[in-house]
Amino acid sequence: MTTTDESKNKWGMSPAASFLVLVFALSIARFLSQQEAPCKSDLPVWNNTIAPCEVFSESYQEARDKFKAAAKDAGATQHSFLVHGSNYTMDIAVLTGSSTDHVVFHSSGVHGVEGYAGSAIQIAFLKEVVSKDIKPSATIVLIHAVNPYGMAHFRRANEENVDLNRNA
């Protein structure tokens, strides 16, 4: 099913996409509102006791470091691609599944400033893989910070002022 321009909101999203964004935002708000625990690395991930500082970051570099550490702990194969200058890297973690028939891709940070939420989701997922000793059947590919420059500078666009989801 395709949507017409008339059925999109002022941000260019369909009603279904708007609903999903709202549900996601409310889920994150609910999750964060239940957090009272101090930041401890030994807390379980999905039982409402994880401190947000374990998965959320205040800078691109902090998010990158947490992602890479979580990927290493999960036994993921890691790849890094320099995107801009010497400081901005798109990192990829691959958890090889038991079947070669299915691959799941999850990217964060296409719109740089939104990368912090996506990064937190990826880090939480990797921590969950470790804590529950999950062996995925599908191969999982996590692409961290597609737009690292935008993430580092809290911008939607990249270093050339290009919105990767609209103008690329």
Side-chain angles (χ1 to χ4, degrees), residues 30 54 64 76 92 95 104 108 158:
R30 180 178 173 269
E54 288 193 46
R64 182 174 189 240
I92 298 175
L95 294 167
V104 175
S108 68
N158 70 3

Side-chain angles (χ1 to χ4, degrees), residues 16-34:
S18 298
F19 177 74
L20 289 175
V21 168
L22 177 63
V23 168
F24 174 73
L26 291 173
S27 297
I28 292 292
R30 180 178 173 269
F31 174 79
L32 293 176
S33 71
Q34 295 175 350

Side-chain angles (χ1 to χ4, degrees), residues 15-96:
S18 298
F19 177 74
L20 289 175
V21 168
L22 177 63
V23 168
F24 174 73
L26 291 173
S27 297
I28 292 292
R30 180 178 173 269
F31 174 79
L32 293 176
S33 71
Q34 295 175 350
Q35 305 311 307
E36 296 178 10
C39 190
K40 294 182 183 176
S41 62
D42 60 343
L43 294 174
V45 174
W46 290 112
N47 71 355
N48 292 326
T49 60
I50 187 172
C53 61
E54 288 193 46
V55 293
F56 283 93
S57 305
E58 293 186 20
S59 70
Y60 158 72
Q61 192 59 53
E62 181 186 359
R64 182 174 189 240
D65 291 345
K66 285 181 180 181
F67 176 80
K68 291 180 69 62
K72 180 180 178 187
D73 291 346
T77 303
Q78 296 187 53
H79 307 277
S80 294
F81 299 95
L82 198 57
V83 174
H84 176 74
S86 61
N87 299 324
Y88 304 111
T89 307
M90 178 175 21
D91 295 294
I92 298 175
V94 180
L95 294 167
T96 304

Side-chain angles (χ1 to χ4, degrees), residues 126-152:
L126 289 165
K127 286 179 174 278
E128 185 80 353
V129 165
V130 172
S131 72
K132 293 195 174 173
D133 195 28
I134 295 171
K135 305 290 187 229
S137 58
T139 294
I140 311 287
V141 180
L142 302 174
I143 307 164
H144 185 263
V146 173
N147 177 8
Y149 180 88
M151 190 170 171

Side-chain angles (χ1 to χ4, degrees), residues 91-109:
D91 295 294
I92 298 175
V94 180
L95 294 167
T96 304
S98 59
S99 168
T100 58
D101 294 339
H102 299 91
V103 178
V104 175
F105 291 91
H106 182 274
S107 64
S108 68

